[in-house]
Amino acid sequence: MVIPGQTPPTNLDEFLEGIWKQNPVFVMVLGLCPALAVTVSAVNALAMGAATTFVLLGSALLVSLMRRIVPREVRIATYIVIIATFVTIVDYLIAAISLELYEALGAFIQLIVVNCMILGRAEAHASKFAPGRALINALGMGIGFSIGLFALGSVREILGAGTLFGVPLFGPDFQPWVVMVLPPGGFFVLGAWLLLFNWWRNRKPAPREPVVAAGEASHG
Amino acid sequence: MSEATLQPVTPSAAMIRTLGLVATVCGILLVLTYQNTLEAINANKRVALERAVFKVIPGAHSMKAFHVGKAGLVPEGGAVPAGAVKFYAAYDQAGQLRGLAAEAAAMGYADMVRVLYAYNPAKQAIDGFGVVGHRETPGIGDKIIFDKAFLKNFEALDARLGAAGDALANPIRVVKNGGKQNPWEIDAISGATVTSRAVARGINDSAQKLVPLLAPHLDKLQGGQ
Amino acid sequence: MTQPLRLELRTAPHVVKGTSVERIMFHVVLALLPICAFAVWQYGLSALALMLTVVATCLLTERLFNRLSSTASTLSDWSATITGLLLALTLPPSFPLWMGVVAGFAAIALGKALFGGIGYNVFNPALVGRAFVQAAFPVAITTWVPAQFPGRFSEFVPTTLTAPLMIPPDITAWVKGHVVDGFTGATPLARWKFENQVADFGDMLSGVSAASVGETSALLVLVCGLYLAARRFLDWRIPAAILGSALLLALLFHLFDPTRFPPPYFVLLSGGLVLGAVFMATDMATSPVTPLGVWIYGILIGVTTVMIRYFGGLTEGIMYAILLGNALTPLIDQVTQPRVFGAGKGKKA
């Protein structure tokens, strides 16, 4: 990421990277499985964002601490063990906090483990930098991911149920757009957001930096 | 010098050591979390189950889970006999039996529809109904949760034991909206026939097994023990 | 550049004929007009308002995307008009107008403009719009009113004028007040599926049973289709393959178990099979071009429709069958490419 001869990014750059320039949902288009599956309401979206952020932070810290002692050959195995640990922890925590939320998010909490954004962060960032920077970057990514999920979740909740955070917006006679809480609705809304984002980015004078940094894990 | 030549690029020992260290650290983290959340999770599950059971059996104050099989009645926690059916007995504040509840499930339009129904041994009827989990189409299938006319089916749904004692006298079945003539029939929701049918099939399958098994043991459940 | 770029893909031999997209499309509109007129006679003001709303939405959406992509207006090629008319014909007559606007927008925006406009769309735009509102408003799209109800030329069905974004009112009571003998609020297909009753042959032929705006009279749709086929504006093999395969399969099922499966004429006359086969499956951009491919495509749609109707959760299957056929069209075209004359069998060079 850091090219010799350039000024190294400041902490603020590091933090903002995930929120804007490399937003996991809108720019890198990573972690689509939870982004499409659980964003039927704003609360679910934020909960999934928070759970993912927790896993990102925990794995970034541990990967970064161990970066000097992990041999190259077994690094992926190590990252996966670490990520799986934090996913299991967050799974227990959510079940302890609210069973209702746990059932709403369903299998997708466990599936955070296959969210390639997290492995991508461990491989591309946390394994190369000190814990402080790795945490800042992970927090930015986590918040960026949460913003992406919230953007999807809020639109789907407003159209699909006529509410936002459970508060009715249009009165009792609102006709819900059922398709929005079904899987196709997730694709429609994501497509619309991507359209908006690309249109917005393209109308600015020619961007110079490549959009997706090399070394990111591909979506899986 | 000897150390440098002995070590290959990445010695296996280093890999094993690292993986071992990672596994240990992660293991400790997991055990700590598990220990600290176990109580809260179990409490949550108990509360959720109680809330569901108390909803279908109004006036209930406490509950116990049992398995009933051919061999007899076993409280939850004991060895479960083969072919046993699980149910919950709910008691009021005085310790009197208020009713029994059991889970039922059948394939609906999109996925399994899981419901909880209350069986009243005195009336020999099903007199309570709640949905535990479903993935039916919002706006159509999910009417089974709140449609008043549909819920009325479960105020006194006949579940009498047949003369032979091994099945219900009349199988619980769904009829088309507005066609209910007998107390063991369920009036389907217009437009949500598939989901209504799933509810009826699930309850019928469950009650056909539970009620005959339960009949010889009803007196043992009275009075909370 | 006033003329839009025209690219037609045809297998050899290439013969120049004096047809153009506009001319074909215009004749399709002409052929649709009798069906629309019959629908207005059946359902009155509500059907008329729905058709006008949907067509206007389609035209406006088309214009909007012309603007956004800075291309010349494509309104004059009639294709958006056809999309709007076909879409309206597949909706129930009681469909609220604001939902018609959603359907029209989804048809042109999702079904056509995002793929690059006319000729580039993978799916039939009208069916994309229909599928979208089917998934979005499952209750409204299965609410039916009786055909030829009294007072249809002087009043709207109460649901038609539902305020935007709001739930349409319950019209059960209204329908009871306008009842035409024995109307149960279900289409013949739904009555067969859930109550095992086969509707009367004469009723279905003349189109007095509950149905979508343009689905009531299969006979009229067939006549209009014959006109287009006779003028060579549509490939007669597609409807022939769809209807033929559906009839044959229905006959086999009926012979196998006459108590469970309805007689073949029921399959032909109920629902939107004929409308879909004649006007939607034949969309040139979304159907195969090779002669063998056309037959495969048609049979696939016919068989899928019957299978969905008999064994699926839905009562009607033609919409998803055609969309599936659309999706497979590139593949069908590829595997049925005729061999180049003179080239050897087997592996390509």
Side-chain angles (χ1 to χ4, degrees), chain B residues 8 19 29 33 37 39 41 59 62 74 87 108 112 120 140 157 179 190:
Chain B
L19 284 178
L29 282 174
T33 321
T37 53
E39 209 169 304
I41 292 174
S62 65
V74 184
F87 70 94
M112 296 301 279
N120 187 324
I140 296 184
L157 187 66
S190 165

Side-chain angles (χ1 to χ4, degrees), chain A residues 170 172-180 182 188 195, chain C residues 98-99 102 110 132 135-138 165-168:
Chain A
F170 302 101
D173 287 337
F174 178 76
Q175 163 73 52
W177 299 31
V178 175
V179 67
M180 287 302 164
L182 299 176
F188 288 140
L195 194 75
Chain C
W98 76 264
M99 292 182 187
V102 174
L110 289 178
F132 186 86
F137 311 119
L165 294 180
M166 295 301 146
I167 300 178

Side-chain angles (χ1 to χ4, degrees), chain C residues 115-192:
Chain C
F115 289 101
I118 183 170
Y120 296 99
N121 48 314
V122 178
F123 298 103
N124 183 309
L127 288 178
V128 171
R130 171 73 156 75
F132 186 86
V133 286
Q134 163 110 49
F137 311 119
V139 178
I141 208 152
T142 48
T143 304
W144 309 98
V145 294
Q148 301 176 2
F149 60 86
R152 60 190 183 278
F153 298 117
S154 56
E155 62 167 332
F156 287 103
V157 180
T159 48
T160 300
L161 298 177
T162 310
L165 294 180
M166 295 301 146
I167 300 178
D170 188 5
I171 57 168
T172 323
W174 180 88
V175 167
K176 285 223 171 81
H178 290 73
V179 80
V180 182
D181 55 5
F183 180 77
T184 60
T187 59
L189 274 174
R191 267 201 327 234
W192 168 73

